[in-house]
């Protein structure tokens, strides 16, 4: 019997500087349709959301992420494992707000954020104005009024239940926000065995959290293996190390889902990053 994974594609690049990362979900869906998964009949059941064509950027994102949160909320309420394929990483505001809304009142989400960047700016500190640099601040409840208007919920992740890994590019204001909040950050140069790092993170969060999610920005991976990203940074975790780590933790009963974001087809090389994205999905969700 086929294993069906509920899959949400968020076809938007409104939160980032480029136009093409919004194509990620449709491109991955096409890749799977051309060559179905071979491992244990794994199937993705796709639902793709598109932003409105009218209104301000922030209003369109607020509406889009409200809709996205409704999907993940429903899946968590019904105990279904899910996959989210985003455009830019601001999609995480919808994904994980919905997860928290779907949990019972006494339960908490633990989130592992894999990223070259901290994504912890607000509109008050951002040098670029791009909202894909702000989702961590929003999810932690540290957003300013303008950012909070985009965030689709009134629940937040407790800082001690949020962990960033792979960081190697950030601004002082982001670092200050995370230090003040006492969020654990594992910098890329501190990682010697990523499988052990991820296993330790999952075990730590499982002690106090009812469910655990993983949010992966593809620029977490070294550009040698994942060139097709919006903001590549040298010195990342190699693809083989990430795949080994995901394989090591994927059977943990508290893992509720995986989110992948920031694929940029314009900078990909011979489909290398798209193929890797597919391999990540197969590795994480296949039963083997």
């Amino acid at each position: 019997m086929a294993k069906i994974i509920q899959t949400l594609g968020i076809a938007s690049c409104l939160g980032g500087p480029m136009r093409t990362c919004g194509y990620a979900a449709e491109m991955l869906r096409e890749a799977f349709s051309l060559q179905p998964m071979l491992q244990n009949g794994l199937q993705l059941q796709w639902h793709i959301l598109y932003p409105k064509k009218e209104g301000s950027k922030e209003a369109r994102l607020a509406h889009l992420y409200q809709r996205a949160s409704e999907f993940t909320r429903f899946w968590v309420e019904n105990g279904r494992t899910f996959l989210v394929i985003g455009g830019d990483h601001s999609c995480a505001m919808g994904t994980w707000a919905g997860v928290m809304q779907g949990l019972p009142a006494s339960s908490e989400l633990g989130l592992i954020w894999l990223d070259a960047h901290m994504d912890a700016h607000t509109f008050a500190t951002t040098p670029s104005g791009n909202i894909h640099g702000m989702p961590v601040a929003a999810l932690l409840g540290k957003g300013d009024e303008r950012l909070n208007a985009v965030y689709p919920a009134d629940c937040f992740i407790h800082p001690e239940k949020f962990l960033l890994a792979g960081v190697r590019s950030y601004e002082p204001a982001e670092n200050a926000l995370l230090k003040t909040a006492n969020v654990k950050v594992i910098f890329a140069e501190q990682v010697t065995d990523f499988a052990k790092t991820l296993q330790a993170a999952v075990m730590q969060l499982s002690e106090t959290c009812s469910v655990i999610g993983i949010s992966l920005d593809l620029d977490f991976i070294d550009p040698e293996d994942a060139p097709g990203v919006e903001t590549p940074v040298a010195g990342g975790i190699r693809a083989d190390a990430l795949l080994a780590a995901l394989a090591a933790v994927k059977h943990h009963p508290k893992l509720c889902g995986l989110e992948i974001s920031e694929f940029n087809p314009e900078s990909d090389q011979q489909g290398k990053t798209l193929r890797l994205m597919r391999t990540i999905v197969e590795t994480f969700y296949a039963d083997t």
Side-chain angles (χ1 to χ4, degrees), residues 13-29:
C13 51
L14 288 175
M18 301 181 185
R19 297 183 302 153
T20 54
C21 71
Y23 299 134
E26 291 171 317
M27 292 181 68
L28 187 63
R29 180 178 63 177

Side-chain angles (χ1 to χ4, degrees), residues 94-252:
T95 300
W96 305 108
V99 170
M100 286 184 279
Q101 289 172 315
L103 291 173
S106 59
S107 300
E108 292 194 41
L109 165 68
L111 186 58
I112 300 170
W113 192 274
L114 306 181
D115 203 317
H117 307 88
M118 289 181 168
D119 290 357
H121 276 297
T122 66
F123 280 103
T125 65
T126 175
S128 69
N130 292 321
I131 300 175
H132 75 161
M134 307 181 196
V136 169
L139 286 162
L140 292 172
K142 305 297 183 182
D144 51 21
E145 184 176 356
R146 190 174 164 191
L147 180 56
N148 290 340
V150 178
Y151 185 67
D154 57 0
C155 49
F156 307 98
I157 302 176
H158 291 178
E160 67 272 18
K161 295 172 174 58
F162 194 101
L163 183 144
L164 284 84
V167 172
R168 53 197 188 277
S169 176
Y170 59 93
E171 280 81 45
E174 298 178 283
N175 197 33
L177 184 148
L178 296 177
K179 279 189 172 182
T180 301
N182 201 30
V183 170
K184 184 175 182 180
V185 178
I186 301 172
F187 295 92
E189 64 266 23
Q190 296 175 305
V191 177
T192 54
D193 184 334
F194 185 62
K196 289 183 178 179
T197 299
L198 189 60
Q199 285 175 300
V202 170
M203 290 303 296
Q204 175 191 331
L205 291 174
S206 68
E207 294 177 3
T208 56
C209 300
S210 302
V211 298
I212 300 168
I214 298 176
S215 185
L216 170 66
D217 185 320
L218 289 167
D219 67 27
F220 167 84
I221 305 163
D222 193 275
E224 285 286 318
D225 299 324
V229 300
E230 286 222 13
T231 48
V233 182
I237 306 302
R238 299 304 298 260
D240 287 349
L242 172 62
L243 294 170
L246 292 175
V249 302
K250 67 181 183 179
H251 293 301
H252 195 284

Side-chain angles (χ1 to χ4, degrees), residues 238-275:
R238 299 304 298 260
D240 287 349
L242 172 62
L243 294 170
L246 292 175
V249 302
K250 67 181 183 179
H251 293 301
H252 195 284
K254 289 191 175 182
L255 281 170
C256 66
L258 172 68
E259 173 181 60
I260 304 174
S261 68
E262 298 280 337
F263 170 63
N264 177 22
E266 285 191 343
S267 59
D268 205 6
Q269 298 168 7
Q270 291 82 46
K272 189 174 187 178
T273 312
L274 182 63
R275 288 195 302 275

